[in-house]
Amino acid sequence: KVPVRVPISETLLQMNREQLQKFVQYLISSHHTEVLPTAQRLSDEILKKSSAINQIAGAPDPTAGQDAEEENSWHLDEGQVQDQVKAYLEQGGYYSASKHLTQMFAKVREMLRAQDSNGSRMLALMTEQFLVDPRLLLWRSQGTPMTDKCRQLWDQLGALWVCVVLNPA
């Protein structure tokens, strides 16, 4: 469940100058390698009175929802998806992982229904983790059958791929 929060622009409006400066400095400090070049470029642009950024009122706020004319696009954190699936599969048994993976499959189904292109990408990332699960090689080499829970998860994975292939939009 994702907690509902007010747009960040609303929170920033409530802050005084000192709080804003602290917020920006902590944000840059926490992610300096990723955001420092952008922060420096933006600060240079803002300090130039004639820059394009100063000709526009306000600033974009991705937390405020999309504009009516804009296309909806969400960022898929691929590393997080891979890490989560890997962690669930490493929990020792498919029984404990089943609930979490079923929820992730439900999210893929929801994304596919909404024709979100991240749905098939998320499914591919999940599939990659299933395919590198060491137990798969063990079952193949020893001819050991999969547990029912494991087979159900693989069936869900396969069913979602059928959806992607039959409806590539």
Side-chain angles (χ1 to χ4, degrees), residues 79-144:
Q80 182 182 10
V81 170
Q82 290 173 313
D83 292 346
Q84 282 181 332
V85 174
K86 184 178 181 179
Y88 294 146
L89 292 175
E90 287 177 346
Q91 287 179 358
Y94 279 92
Y95 289 98
S96 56
S98 179
K99 178 183 174 188
H100 298 290
L101 291 169
T102 299
Q103 289 172 344
M104 290 182 80
F105 287 141
K107 186 63 179 174
V108 169
R109 270 191 293 286
E110 178 185 329
M111 293 166 85
L112 293 174
R113 252 191 315 276
Q115 297 184 336
D116 183 336
S117 61
N118 286 321
S120 57
R121 181 64 190 140
M122 182 171 169
L123 182 60
L125 295 167
M126 294 175 70
T127 302
E128 289 169 9
Q129 294 308 306
F130 269 76
L131 291 173
V132 297
D133 184 354
R135 286 171 288 196
L136 182 60
L137 183 60
L138 183 69
W139 291 320
R140 282 183 166 167
S141 64
Q142 295 181 354
T144 311

Side-chain angles (χ1 to χ4, degrees), residues 3-139:
V4 177
R5 308 264 324 239
V6 297
I8 194 71
S9 54
E10 294 298 318
T11 304
L12 295 174
L13 282 173
Q14 296 173 18
M15 294 182 187
N16 63 32
R17 185 196 181 286
E18 186 179 317
Q19 291 171 318
L20 283 168
Q21 185 167 356
K22 183 182 277 191
F23 172 78
V24 171
Q25 287 178 292
Y26 268 95
L27 182 64
I28 292 171
S29 176
S30 297
H31 305 283
H32 65 279
T33 56
E34 296 92 9
V35 302
L36 188 56
T38 303
Q40 288 173 326
R41 180 182 53 78
L42 289 173
S43 64
D44 289 345
E45 284 185 40
I46 288 172
L47 291 174
K48 289 182 194 171
K49 292 188 190 284
S50 63
S51 70
I53 200 169
N54 286 323
Q55 306 307 311
I56 303 167
D61 183 356
T63 65
Q66 73 182 56
D67 189 348
E69 290 89 39
E70 286 182 20
E71 194 174 309
N72 192 1
S73 176
W74 295 94
H75 169 72
L76 177 66
D77 188 340
E78 295 184 0
Q80 182 182 10
V81 170
Q82 290 173 313
D83 292 346
Q84 282 181 332
V85 174
K86 184 178 181 179
Y88 294 146
L89 292 175
E90 287 177 346
Q91 287 179 358
Y94 279 92
Y95 289 98
S96 56
S98 179
K99 178 183 174 188
H100 298 290
L101 291 169
T102 299
Q103 289 172 344
M104 290 182 80
F105 287 141
K107 186 63 179 174
V108 169
R109 270 191 293 286
E110 178 185 329
M111 293 166 85
L112 293 174
R113 252 191 315 276
Q115 297 184 336
D116 183 336
S117 61
N118 286 321
S120 57
R121 181 64 190 140
M122 182 171 169
L123 182 60
L125 295 167
M126 294 175 70
T127 302
E128 289 169 9
Q129 294 308 306
F130 269 76
L131 291 173
V132 297
D133 184 354
R135 286 171 288 196
L136 182 60
L137 183 60
L138 183 69
W139 291 320

